[in-house]
């Protein structure tokens, strides 16, 4: 008995006309060749109701900000997520790795890989907690602290680019409006 795929393949093959030996296969002409016109540039797609949704606008802004921030950090071979982890460890020496994951809304496994990478670069030191040996606590190394000191101006430059794009007053208002979400993790 044949499988459904094999039967379907035979049906498709049976419907196609056979070419006589020596007759070349014809290719389908491009749409503009049929109409005699040259292809024109595609009309920009409309966003529809998306353009009215604040959530969509925030997501687009976040993408722009993330791209700008990544560009600023690229010279240091650090991602925005790695920068965030370094900042939290710097502000909380000996912090529990799980607490960092929760604060930054990063899955535990993802944070583990992130910390592995930072530890491999000699930026972070991970040790078993003296209080609870099931947990790891994190510290910046001297190299990590020195790099973070060099990264902070790049982060500031990214914020300055945002302020230049939307204006100083709008930047301050946006920062104030979004501050309510900073504590929500």
């Amino acid at each position: 008995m044949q499988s459904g795929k094999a039967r379907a393949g035979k049906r498709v093959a049976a419907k196609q006309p056979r070419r006589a030996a020596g007759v070349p296969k014809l290719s389908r002409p491009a749409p503009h060749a049929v109409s005699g016109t040259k292809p024109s540039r595609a009309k920009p797609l409309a966003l529809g109701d998306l353009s009215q949704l604040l959530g969509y606008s925030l997501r687009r802004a976040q993408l722009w900000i993330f791209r700008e921030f990544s560009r600023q950090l690229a010279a240091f071979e650090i991602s925005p997520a790695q920068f965030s982890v370094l900042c939290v460890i710097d502000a909380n020496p000996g912090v529990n790795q799980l607490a960092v994951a929760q604060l930054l809304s990063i899955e535990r496994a993802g944070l583990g890989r992130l910390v592995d990478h930072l530890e491999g670069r000699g930026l972070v030191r991970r040790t078993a907690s003296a209080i609870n040996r099931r947990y790891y606590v994190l510290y910046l190394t001297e190299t990590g602290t020195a790099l973070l000191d060099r990264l902070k101006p790049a982060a500031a430059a990214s914020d300055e680019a945002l302020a230049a794009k939307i204006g100083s007053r709008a930047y301050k208002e946006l920062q104030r409006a979004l501050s309510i979400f900073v504590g929500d993790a």
Side-chain angles (χ1 to χ4, degrees):
M1 179 170 226
Q2 293 180 344
S3 72
K5 283 184 180 181
R7 283 192 306 267
K10 283 188 176 189
R11 269 188 260 136
V12 171
K15 291 182 182 181
Q16 296 174 351
R18 294 184 181 230
R19 289 190 315 246
V23 175
K25 181 178 179 182
L26 298 176
S27 61
R28 202 172 276 198
H32 66 276
V34 173
S35 66
T37 62
K38 291 184 179 180
S40 61
R41 292 188 95 169
K43 178 182 156 189
L45 295 176
L47 289 172
D49 291 340
L50 283 176
S51 64
Q52 303 303 311
L53 297 174
L54 182 59
Y56 179 76
S57 297
L58 283 170
R59 176 65 175 144
R60 293 303 298 247
Q62 187 271 335
L63 290 169
W64 185 91
I65 292 165
F66 192 83
R67 209 172 23 250
E68 174 62 25
F69 194 33
S70 295
R71 189 181 67 74
Q72 293 286 344
L73 297 177
F76 302 98
E77 297 179 0
I78 290 287
S79 71
Q82 293 167 345
F83 174 79
S84 298
V85 170
L86 292 174
C87 285
V88 170
I89 297 169
D90 183 52
N92 305 281
V95 65
N96 176 322
Q97 187 170 319
L98 180 59
V100 175
Q102 289 171 340
L103 178 65
L104 296 177
S105 299
I106 300 174
E107 291 183 21
R108 283 174 46 179
L111 181 69
R113 287 187 298 273
L114 235 164
V115 171
D116 286 346
H117 178 77
L118 295 171
E119 190 176 35
R121 285 188 59 184
L123 304 174
V124 169
R125 181 171 48 94
R126 176 175 28 191
T127 60
S129 170
I131 298 168
N132 186 340
R133 307 260 324 145
R134 291 180 296 167
Y135 294 114
Y136 287 105
V137 293
L138 305 170
Y139 299 90
L140 290 185
T141 62
E142 285 183 30
T143 305
T145 301
L147 178 61
L148 186 57
D149 288 343
R150 291 179 31 226
L151 292 172
K152 288 177 183 178
S158 178
D159 265 17
E160 289 167 9
L162 176 60
K165 185 163 184 71
I166 66 174
S168 176
R169 183 176 177 180
Y171 172 83
K172 288 176 185 169
E173 289 173 6
L174 182 61
Q175 194 173 37
R176 187 173 33 258
L178 295 178
S179 68
I180 191 170
F181 297 103
V182 173
D184 292 349

